Structures are given as structure tokens and as C-alpha cells.
């Protein structure tokens, strides 16, 4: 069987929509940057399998003192599909290639090779149809328990402030590391650089000379503490920042640099402190990998049916449909009401599902009024 080529590969001029912290187009969640551009990659059918249209965000971040572009899917499971390109066009090319390759691979896979996916789909359909809920629940609970355990084991336990050479201009970076020394991308934070436009980066909202002139000052530690709090971590009981000695090679290099550096910039070049997650952070993990919350009592005429993990199809009198999704988030969970099954156009967000469900009858009445006005015209 010949696999149909993805039309996504032919997408070279997508329409961009600018988003800023204030224009109301910013995607929900901090992983998309404060400002950037939204664009869509079209839906298509390959070998009889339908892939819906998806929305992506393109934005700039700083990597190794260089601005690079990132591309991430909005509201989906794919967190990163294009990156480390110095141009938006280059990042888009990486994203288009990755999405097309993934679609072609999924469309070409024999049905027998995807038993796990089909089993998960059948499990959710069974739940939606009111089937053997106990069996489905047990399977999902086991998977979520394993994911929660993995998330807890991967939590950072050490925070490090590392100065770069030359210290007077090289800046400093905060790294959050696991016991094995690994660091996730979101846990590498420049401390002596201003963030993207409009993003607050420290308690005073000001960086660079106000906090540090390159030395490992108390101001730098204050800024690091603010980031730790924002990420859901505290200093471990009794722990304090302390100098850290690296490898023999690294220390030898710093010894050579020391005579060339101004007073106050020579030591320590690296400090570390033990950290632990806050109660809020642990509660978020419990929600993120716990059972899907129950919906409250529905308004008269409104029905809800599971359509996937943490997602429901909402209808009014079985004549008009919406999608409702739940997203656990540290600092406040988010419920979103969408107008389309692909969840590309959101209508409203709230901290609880009841606020959104209560608006369904009015939304239906408004839609009927618009339809009647259109017919009258």
C-alpha cells in the first residue's frame, strides 16, 4: 500500500496571528511564551485516517545568549515540534516536517501494530457508553499511578546558580537539577537577562545592574528564590546557598581566569542549595495524575458525554454541541469551553466547570436567535 504524502509538507505560507500579553490571543499556559504568533496547519486524510487541523504557537527564547525560535502545538500533547532555529521560517520548516512525518507514519502503520492505541480508544468509548467502568477505571488508575510516581521521582532536588565567564558580562543561570544531575529545559533560567517583552523576571521587575554587576551577590540569590517560588519549590529545611566545587578541569580553568576578574567576581563561581516541592506543587501533581473530576449537576436540557481524557462533549437538547476540557495547573486549574470538536477555538475559560455549563442554555438561545435573524434577512 502506498502512503499518501502529507499536504502539510506543502504548507509554506501560513497565516500568522500576533499574540501579546494584552490582546487576548495568548494561548492558555506559560509554555507558549508571552508574545509570538499563532498559525494553523491544515487537516487532511491519509490512507483513510483523518488528522484534524491544529493550531501552533511560534515564539522566541534565549538559548546560550542567542535568540532562537520555538514552535509548539496549542492545546495538544506535542510540546515541541520545531526549535533552535535563528529564524521563524526555519522553526516553521522543522515543525511542518515533524508534523507531516508523524502523520505519514501513523497513517502507514498497520492496524495490528497499534493495538495499544485501539485498546485505549475502546476503553474511553466503553466509559462514554456506560460499559464496564470498573475495568476501565482500574487500568487508567494504574497508568496514572505510574506516571505520578515517575513525575515525583523526576522532581528537582538541587538548585544551582552558575556564573559564566567572563563574569562581568557573561551573566548567571539558575538550574534546577534532579538527584542524578539532569535538568529539564524549563528549569534553566537566565538570571541576568531581561525576559520576553512584558514578562516579569524578578521581585522588583528589574534585572541586570540592579541585581548584580556580574558577581554572585545576594541580589542574585533573591532573584533565584523568586523563581523557585514561582515554580513551586522551597529551600529544604535548614538548607542555605553554599559554594560548589566542580571538576578538577573546571576549577583549574577558573583559577587561570581569577587574576583577570574584578574583586568580588572571583569566588564563588557556583553555589548550590537543596530544594523541595511546595505543598501546592504536590497537590498539582496529584490532580494532574489523578482521576478525572466529576462534573456538577447539569442545567436543564444540557447533557455531557466523555469524549476523551479530561474532555466532554456538551450538548443542549441534542441539537447544538460544544467541547469542555479540564487542565490541571499549578496556581489554579482551568476549564475551557470550545466551539469545535478539534478544540481549536475557545469560547470561555473558568476555574470551575459549573461556571461554563451554566452558560450553555443562553449560548443555545443566542445561536437560535442569530439563525432566525439570518433566515428573516
Amino acid at each position: 500500500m502506498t502512503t499518501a504524502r502529507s499536504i502539510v509538507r506543502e504548507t509554506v505560507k501560513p497565516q500568522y496571528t500576533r499574540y501579546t500579553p494584552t490582546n487576548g490571543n495568548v494561548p492558555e499556559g506559560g509554555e507558549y511564551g508571552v508574545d509570538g504568533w499563532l498559525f494553523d496547519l491544515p487537516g487532511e486524510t491519509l490512507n483513510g485516517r483523518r488528522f484534524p487541523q491544529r493550531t501552533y504557537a511560534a515564539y522566541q527564547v534565549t538559548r546560550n545568549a542567542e535568540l532562537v525560535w520555538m514552535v509548539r502545538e496549542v492545546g495538544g500533547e506535542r510540546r515541541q515540534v520545531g526549535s533552535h532555529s535563528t529564524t521563524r521560517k526555519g522553526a516553521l520548516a522543522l515543525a511542518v516536517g515533524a508534523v507531516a512525518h508523524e502523520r505519514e507514519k501513523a497513517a502507514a502503520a498497520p492496524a495490528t501494530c497499534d493495538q495499544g492505541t485501539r485498546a485505549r480508544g475502546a476503553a474511553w468509548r466503553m466509559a462514554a457508553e456506560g460499559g464496564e467502568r470498573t475495568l476501565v477505571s482500574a487500568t487508567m488508575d494504574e497508568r496514572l499511578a505510574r506516571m505520578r510516581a515517575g513525575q515525583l521521582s523526576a522532581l528537582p532536588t538541587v538548585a544551582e546558580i552558575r556564573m559564566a565567564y567572563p563574569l562581568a558580562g557573561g551573566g548567571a543561570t539558575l538550574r534546577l537539577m534532579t538527584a542524578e544531575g539532569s535538568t529539564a529545559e524549563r528549569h534553566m533560567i537566565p538570571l541576568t537577562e531581561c525576559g520576553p517583552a512584558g514578562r516579569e523576571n524578578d521581585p522588583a521587575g528589574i534585572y541586570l545592574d540592579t541585581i548584580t554587576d556580574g558577581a554572585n551577590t545576594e541580589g542574585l540569590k533573591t532573584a533565584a528564590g523568586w523563581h523557585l517560588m514561582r515554580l513551586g519549590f522551597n529551600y529544604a529545611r535548614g538548607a542555605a546557598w553554599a559554594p560548589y566545587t566542580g571538576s578538577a578541569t573546571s576549577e583549574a580553568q577558573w583559577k587561570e581566569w581569577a587574576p583577570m576578574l574584578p574583586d568580588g567576581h572571583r569566588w564563588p563561581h557556583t553555589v548550590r542549595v537543596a530544594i523541595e516541592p511546595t505543598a501546592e506543587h504536590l497537590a498539582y501533581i496529584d490532580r494532574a495524575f489523578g482521576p478525572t473530576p466529576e462534573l456538577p449537576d447539569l442545567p436543564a436540557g444540557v447533557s455531557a458525554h466523555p469524549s476523551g481524557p479530561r474532555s466532554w462533549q456538551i450538548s443542549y437538547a441534542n441539537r447544538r454541541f460544544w467541547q469542555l476540557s479540564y487542565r490541571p495547573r499549578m496556581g489554579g486549574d482551568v476549564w475551557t469551553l470550545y466551539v469545535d470538536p478539534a478544540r481549536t477555538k475557545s469560547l470561555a475559560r473558568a476555574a470551575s466547570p459549573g461556571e461554563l455549563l451554566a452558560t450553555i442554555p443562553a449560548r443555545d438561545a443566542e445561536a437560535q436567535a442569530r439563525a432566525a435573524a439570518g433566515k428573516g434577512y
Side-chain angles (χ1 to χ4, degrees):
M1 179 178 64
T2 302
T3 302
R5 184 177 176 84
S6 173
I7 64 173
V8 171
R9 292 187 186 276
E10 309 305 323
T11 303
V12 293
K13 293 182 179 179
Q15 296 296 315
Y16 288 96
T17 299
R18 180 69 188 271
Y19 66 86
T20 70
T22 58
N23 71 0
N25 292 325
V26 179
E28 184 67 36
E31 64 267 33
Y32 306 110
V34 171
D35 51 30
W37 285 263
L38 298 175
F39 62 93
D40 295 326
L41 293 184
E44 58 187 326
T45 300
L46 299 176
N47 290 342
R49 179 169 179 178
R50 182 64 188 170
F51 297 91
Q53 174 179 296
R54 294 295 188 188
T55 300
Y56 296 81
Y59 56 94
Q60 283 186 304
V61 295
T62 301
R63 290 288 179 273
N64 299 322
E66 180 183 35
L67 280 176
V68 297
W69 284 87
M70 306 282 283
V71 175
R72 294 177 188 262
E73 181 179 311
V74 175
E77 295 181 358
R78 188 185 299 104
R79 310 319 298 164
Q80 178 178 330
V81 292
S83 68
H84 295 266
S85 173
T86 55
T87 66
R88 185 175 65 183
K89 184 177 179 180
L92 174 61
L94 290 172
V96 168
V99 172
H101 176 74
E102 181 178 286
R103 289 181 177 182
E104 290 167 358
K105 183 178 178 181
T112 55
C113 294
D114 200 21
Q115 294 178 352
T117 301
R118 290 191 293 121
R120 288 192 293 274
W124 282 108
R125 285 194 298 274
M126 190 181 298
E129 296 165 3
E132 295 292 335
R133 295 177 182 270
T134 302
L135 176 61
V136 174
S137 177
T139 302
M140 290 303 300
D141 285 349
E142 290 172 2
R143 291 181 58 218
L144 289 170
R146 288 195 296 269
M147 293 168 67
R148 178 181 179 277
Q151 183 76 8
L152 290 173
S153 66
L155 285 175
T157 59
V158 175
E160 173 186 274
I161 300 175
R162 178 180 297 181
M163 308 302 295
Y165 177 81
L167 294 187
T173 300
L174 171 66
R175 297 175 62 212
L176 276 61
M177 301 177 292
T178 65
E180 292 76 25
S182 62
T183 302
E185 177 187 317
R186 66 183 182 280
H187 291 153
M188 293 188 65
I189 304 166
L191 289 179
T192 51
E193 296 178 15
C194 292
R199 178 181 296 177
E200 186 182 30
N201 245 357
D202 75 296
I206 302 174
Y207 254 43
L208 301 174
D209 293 340
T210 307
I211 286 187
T212 176
D213 57 359
N216 213 331
T217 63
E218 290 302 316
L220 208 57
K221 296 171 187 175
T222 299
W226 181 82
H227 282 288
L228 288 172
M229 177 185 65
R230 182 178 59 85
L231 293 169
F233 292 92
N234 270 331
Y235 300 132
R237 185 179 298 275
W241 292 101
Y244 174 76
T245 301
S247 66
T249 303
S250 174
E251 293 304 311
Q253 182 66 78
W254 278 99
K255 187 175 181 180
E256 292 181 14
W257 288 338
M260 298 179 284
L261 302 176
D263 290 339
H265 293 62
R266 301 176 183 178
W267 182 262
H269 55 76
T270 304
V271 292
R272 286 186 174 184
V273 66
I275 59 174
E276 57 188 13
T278 62
E280 180 188 16
H281 195 151
L282 294 176
Y284 156 72
I285 292 176
D286 286 341
R287 296 194 306 277
F289 301 100
T292 301
E294 297 274 337
L295 294 182
D297 292 339
L298 302 175
V302 176
S303 61
H305 302 281
S307 57
R310 304 174 188 236
S311 178
W312 296 261
Q313 183 187 69
I314 307 299
S315 67
Y316 185 80
N318 290 323
R319 64 170 174 248
R320 190 164 283 107
F321 299 88
W322 297 265
Q323 285 288 324
L324 177 68
S325 72
Y326 165 68
R327 182 186 175 194
R329 192 179 67 173
M330 193 164 62
D333 297 345
V334 176
W335 293 79
T336 306
L337 186 67
Y338 295 90
V339 71
D340 58 329
R343 292 183 293 175
T344 58
K345 182 180 179 181
S346 64
L347 291 173
R349 294 185 177 94
S352 67
E355 297 178 49
L356 299 177
L357 292 171
T359 67
I360 294 297
R363 293 181 187 278
D364 178 77
E366 182 182 351
Q368 286 195 78
R370 286 199 304 268
K375 290 179 180 179
Y377 178 80

